[in-house]
């Protein structure tokens, strides 16, 4: 609702109410004290004239207000679910003390606290007002005007003024997990994520250096020429192969709209994708993206890229990406990927599986497996685990328990079919999917299969 340019303040309302009450008192006095009526009426009319004159002068003063301005200071970007602070710098360059109620037109996708706020500014004073916002949805957040209700000098009127114009800021997936890993080595990053790196030396990796033989080295690692020359056993040491391609095939269909806690499976999937992609980029691999879901609008197709700026490019491609109510067509997505990517890659299909997807999904992964190494990352709904772990005290609860158990059994059967076809499976609850993706990626990397 829009406010009028000027409106009465509470003080004026109370004075007007008192003047009306005085009119009632004069009317009553006319009955009980008829001789005092002329004097009381004169006093009442005088008070009304004084109030009217004060209202006019005070309203004129607030209309002549100048010198008040504001500047909104935002962070460079925001992360989903992460609290951030917005600063409003208020300046009073006029010659009068100002009392104002400040409010900002915050985008609906941001939860806001500490607004509106009452501020007093002395002449020449600059004051900074802070309030907190927490993004609840990704995408471009558009701020409106910074507005204030400025009280007149005598507090009879309030005038609405605009102090700052519109502004915009991007709300990204929760990339703070990525930020916390940037200053760490690959080994330190894995330890921070709670994963143990198992050392591996041997086949399927790039040659790194020669060193003395150690117990546990295979015979294939022994460099016999160097050993003969130095009269002691020398082994070759290898490092992980680099320059591999990893393509995320991201489901944007209706299954990903399921919610566990505050966020949807799609938001959890994006967080897991970004964190695991960053680990891969740090290892020298290239990361690409293809989205799919029939009727979801244009798909995002990002060819594999590598380098320090790759994660920023990926962020800018997914920050305003949302799931739809459309059906997820696995087969069409697999065909599109096979046409667009000829080089053998690790394809990570991120989705929320159901047993009714079995035929279509198996056809899609078999098609992809003709050229690529395939991993299916399926987010497991927390409700299924919770229902199976909750004792069934009554008949309705028992029915829910049996339904959840049957659904979980059929879903597990589908995952077993995938594993039987040499498809790598990452099955985890949404908040743990990033760990499962990184762990499986690192296992592939160390095994030499990638």
């Amino acid at each position: 609702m829009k406010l009028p340019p000027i409106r009465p303040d509470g003080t004026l309302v109370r004075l007007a109410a008192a003047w009306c009450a005085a009119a009632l008192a004069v009317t009553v006095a006319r009955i009980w004290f008829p001789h005092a009526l002329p004097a009381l009426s004169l006093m009442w009319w005088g008070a009304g004239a004084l109030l009217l004159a004060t209202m006019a002068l005070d309203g004129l003063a607030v209309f002549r207000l100048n010198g008040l301005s504001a500047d909104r200071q935002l962070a460079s970007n925001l992360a989903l679910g992460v609290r951030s602070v917005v600063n409003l710098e208020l300046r009073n360059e006029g010659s009068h003390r100002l009392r104002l109620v400040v409010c900002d037109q915050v985008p609906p996708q941001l939860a806001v606290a500490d607004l509106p706020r009452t501020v007093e500014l002395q002449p020449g004073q600059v004051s900074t007002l802070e309030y907190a916002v927490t993004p609840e949805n990704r995408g471009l957040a558009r701020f409106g005007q910074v507005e204030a209700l400025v009280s007149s000098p005598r507090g009879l009127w309030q005038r609405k003024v605009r102090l700052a114009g519109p502004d915009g800021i991007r709300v990204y997936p929760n990339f703070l997990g990525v930020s916390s890993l940037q200053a760490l080595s690959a080994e330190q990053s894995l330890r921070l994520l709670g994963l143990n790196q198992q050392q591996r030396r041997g086949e399927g990796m790039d040659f790194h250096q020669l060193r003395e033989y150690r117990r546990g080295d295979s015979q294939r690692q022994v460099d016999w020429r160097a050993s003969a020359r130095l009269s002691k056993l020398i082994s070759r040491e290898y490092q992980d192969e680099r320059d591999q391609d990893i393509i995320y095939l991201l489901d944007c269909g209706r299954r990903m709209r399921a919610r566990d806690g505050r966020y949807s499976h799609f938001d959890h999937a994006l967080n897991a994708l970004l964190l695991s992609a960053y680990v891969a980029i740090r290892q020298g691999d290239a990361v690409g993206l293809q989205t799919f879901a029939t009727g979801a609008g244009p798909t995002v197709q990002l060819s594999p890229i590598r380098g320090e700026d790759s994660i920023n490019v990926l962020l800018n491609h997914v920050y305003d990406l949302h799931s739809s109510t459309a059906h997820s067509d696995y087969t069409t997505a697999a065909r599109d990927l096979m046409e667009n990517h000829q080089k053998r890659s690790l394809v990570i299909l991120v989705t929320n599986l159901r047993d009714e997807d079995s035929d279509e999904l198996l056809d899609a992964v078999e098609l992809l497996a003709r050229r690529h190494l395939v991993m299916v990352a399926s987010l497991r709904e927390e409700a299924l685990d919770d229902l199976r772990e909750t004792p069934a005290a009554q008949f309705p609860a028992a029915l829910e328990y049996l339904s959840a158990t049957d659904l979980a059994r059929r879903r597990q059967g589908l995952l077993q079919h995938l594993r039987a076809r040499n498809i790598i499976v990452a099955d985890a609850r949404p908040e743990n999917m990033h760990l499962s993706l990184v762990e499986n990626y690192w296992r592939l990397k160390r095994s030499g299969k990638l």
Side-chain angles (χ1 to χ4, degrees):
M1 182 179 66
K2 293 186 177 180
L3 295 174
I6 187 171
R7 70 176 191 180
D9 202 345
T11 303
L12 178 56
V13 173
R14 289 190 291 272
L15 289 174
W19 186 70
C20 293
L24 180 61
V26 169
T27 302
V28 173
R30 181 178 180 181
I31 301 174
W32 297 99
F33 307 102
H35 298 292
L37 181 60
L40 292 175
S41 297
L42 184 61
M43 292 175 59
W44 180 76
W45 282 109
L50 179 61
L51 177 59
L52 187 61
T54 304
M55 289 170 54
L57 292 174
D58 208 33
L60 184 62
V62 76
F63 262 114
R64 289 179 175 177
L65 170 71
N66 55 45
L68 179 63
S69 61
D71 182 31
R72 183 194 292 115
Q73 298 172 354
L74 300 171
S76 57
N77 45 58
L78 301 177
L80 181 67
V82 178
R83 184 178 180 272
S84 183
V85 173
V86 179
N87 294 319
L88 297 178
E89 187 179 87
L90 306 172
R91 294 179 294 273
N92 180 13
E93 299 174 355
S95 56
H96 300 284
R97 180 181 65 87
L98 298 178
R99 186 175 183 273
L100 54 152
V101 179
V102 181
C103 190
D104 197 358
Q105 294 179 355
V106 180
Q109 67 209 77
L110 305 182
V112 62
D114 306 324
L115 279 182
R117 297 274 289 280
T118 301
V119 181
E120 286 193 6
L121 294 176
Q122 300 297 329
Q125 181 182 356
V126 178
S127 179
T128 300
L129 181 153
E130 296 182 351
Y131 67 91
V133 294
T134 303
E136 297 181 337
N137 291 289
R138 291 171 292 99
L140 182 62
R142 299 184 182 276
F143 285 79
Q145 304 278 350
V146 176
E147 297 181 327
L149 288 174
V150 184
S151 297
S152 59
R154 293 175 177 80
L156 301 183
W157 299 98
Q158 285 184 326
R159 178 189 168 192
K160 185 181 75 170
V161 294
R162 292 186 174 91
L163 303 179
D167 210 342
I169 188 171
R170 291 181 175 183
V171 178
Y172 288 102
N174 189 350
F175 53 84
L176 291 186
V178 171
S179 302
S180 63
L181 301 180
Q182 288 182 342
L184 303 178
S185 66
E187 292 77 8
Q188 290 172 325
S189 301
L190 292 174
R191 286 197 296 269
L192 182 63
L193 291 172
L195 301 176
N196 294 321
Q197 178 186 8
Q198 296 182 353
Q199 297 294 332
R200 176 192 178 273
R201 302 179 180 89
E203 306 78 17
M205 308 178 81
D206 290 337
F207 173 76
H208 180 48
Q209 64 182 2
L210 292 175
R211 57 165 175 78
E212 290 190 16
Y213 177 86
R214 297 173 187 167
R215 181 176 295 180
D217 289 348
S218 68
Q219 291 186 0
R220 291 187 178 183
Q221 286 182 252
V222 177
D223 190 311
W224 297 108
R225 289 185 179 181
S227 299
R229 187 170 60 252
L230 298 175
S231 300
K232 58 181 179 181
L233 288 176
I234 300 297
S235 294
R236 301 185 188 95
E237 186 170 88
Y238 298 87
Q239 63 183 359
D240 291 332
E241 293 177 355
R242 303 170 71 86
D243 299 335
Q244 306 297 322
D245 284 357
I246 300 171
I247 302 170
Y248 290 90
L249 193 56
L250 179 62
D251 185 357
C252 299
R254 59 175 177 265
R255 295 275 176 77
M256 303 296 282
R257 299 173 73 87
R259 302 185 74 87
D260 279 323
R262 294 175 58 188
Y263 305 114
S264 68
H265 281 197
F266 191 74
D267 288 320
H268 286 292
L270 283 180
N271 293 342
L273 184 155
L274 289 170
L275 196 59
S276 58
Y278 182 73
V279 171
I281 290 169
R282 289 284 298 272
Q283 289 300 111
D285 292 332
V287 174
L289 172 68
Q290 178 178 315
T291 64
F292 70 97
T294 304
T299 60
V300 174
Q301 292 188 350
L302 176 64
S303 298
I305 54 176
R306 58 173 49 86
E308 295 182 357
D309 294 333
S310 302
I311 194 66
N312 294 327
V313 175
L314 189 58
L315 270 170
N316 288 322
H317 274 77
V318 303
Y319 83 94
D320 59 349
L321 190 63
H322 298 279
S323 58
S324 73
T325 57
H327 167 66
S328 300
D329 190 340
Y330 296 109
T331 304
T332 301
R335 289 172 181 166
D336 292 342
L337 192 144
M338 292 289 285
E339 292 179 2
N340 296 329
H341 299 281
Q342 303 299 321
K343 179 183 176 181
R344 176 175 169 81
S345 309
L346 170 62
V347 176
I348 302 178
L349 171 61
V350 184
T351 185
N352 182 343
L353 290 182
R354 292 289 189 278
D355 66 290
E356 59 263 31
D357 300 325
S358 58
D359 294 338
E360 183 181 357
L361 178 67
L362 293 174
D363 290 342
V365 296
E366 286 181 359
L367 176 61
L368 292 172
R370 295 175 185 175
R371 181 184 303 148
H372 304 291
L373 183 63
V374 182
M375 179 192 303
V376 175
S378 178
L379 291 87
R380 186 173 69 250
E381 295 182 22
E382 294 182 3
L384 290 179
D385 294 343
D386 294 341
L387 284 173
R388 294 167 65 194
E389 295 171 0
T390 302
Q394 297 180 349
F395 184 71
L399 291 179
E400 291 180 350
Y401 173 82
L402 292 174
S403 298
T405 302
D406 181 61
L407 181 59
R409 179 186 58 80
R410 288 182 289 163
R411 184 178 180 278
Q412 193 61 33
L414 175 57
L415 297 180
Q416 290 176 356
H417 281 301
L418 291 172
R419 292 188 180 100
R421 287 167 169 78
N422 295 321
I423 304 300
I424 304 153
V425 174
D427 179 35
R429 291 170 72 138
E431 71 274 12
N432 296 325
M433 180 51 73
H434 65 290
L435 295 176
S436 184
L437 284 181
V438 173
E439 185 177 18
N440 279 281
Y441 162 78
W442 199 253
R443 186 181 296 116
L444 288 171
K445 196 73 173 174
R446 302 302 289 173
S447 69
K449 292 182 180 178
L450 179 56

